[in-house]
Amino acid sequence: MYRYLAVDQLRLSVNALDYAILLVYFAVVLGIGFAARRSVRTSLDFFLSGRALPAWVTGLAFVAANLGATEILGMAANGAQYGMYTLHWYLVGAIPAMVFLGLVMMPFYYRSRVRSVPEFLLLRFGPAPHLLSSVIFAVASVLIAGVNLYALGIVVQALLGWPLWTAIVVSGTFVLAYILLGGLSSAIYNEVLQFFVILAALIPLTVVGLRRVGGWDGLSDSIGATRGEGFLSAWQGTGIGEPNSLGANWLTIVLGLGFVMSFGYWTTNFAEVQRAMSARNLSAARRTPLIAAYPKMFIPAIVVVPGLIAVVVEPTIGTGEYAYNDAIPLLMRDLLPNGVLGIAVTGLLAAFMAGMAANVSSFNTVFTNDIWRPYVRRHRPDAHYLLVGRVVTAVGVVIGMGTAFIAATFSNIMNYLQTLFSFFNVPLFVTFILAMFWRRMTSAAGFWGLLTGTLAAFTTYLLYRAGAVTIPSEQGANFVASIVAFLAGMAVSVVVSLFTRPKPVAELAGLVYGTTAPGLEVDDRAPGDEAWYRRPWLLGWGAIVLAALLYLPFSL
């Protein structure tokens, strides 16, 4: 059964001023698309912006690409359902992995000059693991694009009262238009704009919401009276065997979310890594996720807190006529005056378009460069692959429209997203981490380890849904499935490697830690990159320390 919004109850009272703000934004987005089109001459321009973007642009695009439905509706829904346990998705479930990507993995990706994450496996192993990972990436991309498109449809539905299917089709067509115009450059520069529009939307919503419930003290008192004091603690009740709303203990949080799912997502998810690959040099590529880590750790203040406010404003959320996904639209309807409401609606649409554009652009890159080019039509002119990329972009949007209705069956889309991450990203992370750090790993191990990990996660989740395995919550089941996928993929990869022949060490130069490929150690730093505040290690460890400090108020 689809969990549609109750349109009559959540219809937003917008006026001409709100629509004017929205139309101005749409005009600017399309203008950026037309401007970026002039720079698209080759397939590299379309898929990776010619690898010419500065770190501050790619860094903001990196965090904006993730600031789609996953953050806005999903994390607000998590805040309403799980409380301050949601902080774990940021402080332990994002920052360490983003730092690891910047410090350790980006040198492998960037120096190898691959155009996508799966292409690294082609160089490291060969065709079989490469094709399997490419198919997994392509499927995951369109499924996640569907989540963002569903969220986009929700807002348009609430804004105009359109049927959900109409809202999804119209929204998807608009996103398709600006990606087709300017490729990744259009998507990235729009994501930078969208980042600031999102802040302009969510900061007023949070401030007005806090004033409505009596500030942080009033919010704490109301939440404590209805949900218990543990609802505002990140770690209370997470001892092994203790019950809590998240249905997870500290071990599954740290290992399942903080290590397996987090590293699996942030280090291999091409929707984000693609932004770093488009940077102008290795220094900028490494700094991309490190720069993104700083705004990322403060996003809970404008996403999770509104979810908590929604619990106070609408106590029946999640149990009555409103789903947890409705937290943000509820607050917009009840709290914002016209004008500010127009900015808020524009910010939400910006967020969901950024998320969808990120996944569609990664889908067209992986399909064209990792499936079509090497296995379907080889050695064609570059113009052929540029055309295929544009056609596949349209196909990806159409498929995303279909997968949006899968997301509509979940009352909390974050549960659905975490399920997808456990299926796809965790097994990929196992394969990548072994491939980069263990010379003995073989091509056969890469294929069978990846396949086994994927099937293990899928089987664990099916057993949970069938009631054969007892796990307190769907999120808890996702954490467990991730751990099972990691261990299964790791075990099979190690065993198969011990019984098959690895590549000669000479063929692994530049692809495995501790090896160097001739010509790939060129110092390509731009003027100013040697400045102390641009040093990747300083940026990375600074982010880790700050994330640990932000935990303290919700842990003592």
Side-chain angles (χ1 to χ4, degrees):
M1 177 181 179
Y2 295 143
R3 296 299 300 266
Y4 294 156
L5 287 178
V7 178
D8 292 338
Q9 286 77 18
L10 278 180
R11 181 71 181 271
L12 301 178
S13 181
V14 292
N15 63 14
L17 177 60
D18 300 316
Y19 282 119
I21 293 171
L22 198 57
L23 289 174
V24 168
Y25 172 73
F26 282 157
V28 172
V29 167
L30 289 178
I32 292 174
F34 278 108
R37 186 178 187 179
R38 293 186 301 224
S39 66
V40 178
R41 297 181 179 86
T42 67
S43 62
L44 184 65
D45 294 332
F46 187 75
F47 294 124
L48 286 178
S49 300
R51 286 195 171 102
L53 301 178
W56 74 268
V57 170
T58 54
L60 290 180
F62 188 101
V63 71
N66 183 252
L67 197 56
T70 307
E71 299 289 326
I72 310 300
L73 287 190
M75 287 303 181
N78 266 7
Q81 186 173 1
Y82 304 123
M84 276 303 173
Y85 292 132
T86 311
L87 276 181
H88 296 308
W89 271 270
Y90 295 87
L91 302 184
V92 74
I95 305 306
M98 294 169 74
V99 171
F100 184 79
L101 171 64
L103 297 184
V104 178
M105 295 188 72
M106 278 315 303
F108 290 100
Y109 287 144
Y110 201 85
R111 284 174 179 155
S112 63
R113 310 304 288 177
V114 295
R115 289 159 294 192
S116 69
V117 171
E119 190 176 1
F120 179 84
L121 293 185
L122 177 63
L123 299 180
R124 175 63 175 84
F125 293 128
H130 171 243
L131 181 58
L132 177 60
S133 67
S134 300
V135 172
I136 289 174
F137 266 106
V139 172
S141 293
V142 293
L143 286 172
I144 298 172
V147 176
N148 286 283
L149 188 52
Y150 165 62
L152 190 58
I154 281 179
V155 178
V156 174
Q157 182 190 34
L159 179 65
L160 301 175
W162 292 353
L164 186 62
W165 71 269
T166 304
I168 286 174
V169 170
V170 172
S171 303
T173 302
F174 185 82
V175 174
L176 172 63
Y178 81 74
I179 298 178
L180 283 180
L181 284 171
L184 184 63
S185 292
S186 176
I188 284 180
Y189 281 112
N190 268 306
E191 284 161 3
V192 174
L193 168 66
Q194 287 157 351
F195 175 76
F196 293 105
V197 173
I198 292 164
L199 294 183
L202 294 180
I203 290 175
L205 183 66
T206 305
V207 172
V208 173
L210 283 173
R211 291 187 63 182
R212 171 71 175 269
V213 298
W216 182 258
D217 290 339
L219 177 64
S220 300
D221 292 341
S222 298
I223 291 289
T226 57
R227 300 294 181 97
E229 293 183 0
F231 205 70
L232 293 178
S233 171
W235 293 104
Q236 186 175 326
T238 59
I240 295 177
E242 291 186 65
N244 59 67
S245 60
L246 187 59
N249 56 57
W250 67 268
L251 185 62
T252 54
I253 290 171
V254 172
L255 292 183
L257 174 62
F259 176 60
V260 177
M261 293 188 76
S262 170
F263 279 67
Y265 176 81
W266 290 102
T267 63
T268 66
N269 192 58
F270 190 46
E272 277 76 30
V273 176
Q274 186 182 32
R275 274 73 193 144
M277 286 183 175
S278 67
R280 63 186 178 185
N281 58 24
L282 176 58
S283 174
R286 296 184 73 188
R287 282 184 279 124
T288 293
L290 304 178
I291 291 171
Y294 286 88
K296 175 69 177 178
M297 69 181 76
F298 291 101
I299 295 298
I302 56 173
V303 174
V304 179
V305 172
L308 297 173
I309 295 170
V311 173
V312 177
V313 173
E314 183 56 59
T316 63
I317 190 169
T319 57
E321 61 181 323
Y322 299 115
Y324 291 114
N325 290 334
D326 301 338
I328 293 291
L330 268 172
L331 296 184
M332 290 169 55
R333 181 200 67 182
D334 293 345
L335 303 180
L336 297 183
N338 292 112
V340 179
L341 180 60
I343 296 174
V345 171
T346 302
L348 283 187
L349 295 180
F352 305 151
M353 286 192 294
M356 184 183 178
N359 284 284
V360 170
S361 60
S362 65
F363 170 75
N364 66 29
T365 302
V366 168
F367 185 90
T368 304
N369 289 321
D370 295 290
I371 297 176
W372 189 267
R373 188 192 295 258
Y375 302 110
V376 181
R377 291 288 187 271
R378 299 182 181 181
H379 310 303
R380 297 299 176 94
D382 187 73
H384 169 79
Y385 299 115
L386 178 59
L387 175 62
V388 170
R390 295 187 188 276
V391 172
V392 169
T393 300
V395 172
V397 170
V398 172
I399 297 174
M401 291 176 184
T403 61
F405 291 94
I406 300 176
T409 63
F410 287 75
S411 65
N412 183 340
I413 56 175
M414 181 52 66
N415 289 341
Y416 174 52
L417 281 165
Q418 295 296 310
T419 300
L420 296 180
F421 297 157
S422 69
F423 289 173
F424 302 123
N425 293 90
V426 171
L428 283 164
F429 172 63
V430 177
T431 303
F432 272 87
I433 205 69
L434 285 176
M436 289 181 172
F437 290 95
W438 191 31
R439 302 182 190 185
R440 183 69 179 78
M441 189 178 183
T442 66
S443 176
F447 178 86
W448 290 110
L450 178 55
L451 182 62
T452 301
T454 303
L455 293 177
F458 188 66
T459 301
T460 303
Y461 184 76
L462 288 181
L463 291 174
Y464 160 73
R465 297 290 292 183
V469 176
T470 302
I471 303 174
S473 72
E474 195 156 16
Q475 286 290 13
N478 292 331
F479 297 163
V480 172
S482 297
I483 294 173
V484 171
F486 182 86
L487 295 176
M490 179 76 73
V492 169
S493 296
V494 170
V495 171
V496 173
S497 291
L498 295 178
F499 288 92
T500 51
R501 179 174 297 179
K503 274 187 172 184
V505 175
E507 296 181 19
L508 302 179
L511 300 174
V512 181
Y513 191 78
T515 65
T516 302
L520 294 184
E521 290 295 330
V522 177
D523 187 352
D524 63 350
R525 287 179 295 180
D529 283 350
E530 67 279 0
W532 67 268
Y533 57 86
R534 291 186 177 183
R535 294 175 183 173
W537 287 97
L538 180 62
L539 288 170
W541 283 106
I544 293 290
V545 171
L546 184 56
L549 292 175
L550 290 175
Y551 250 133
L552 292 179
F554 306 98
S555 303
L556 300 177

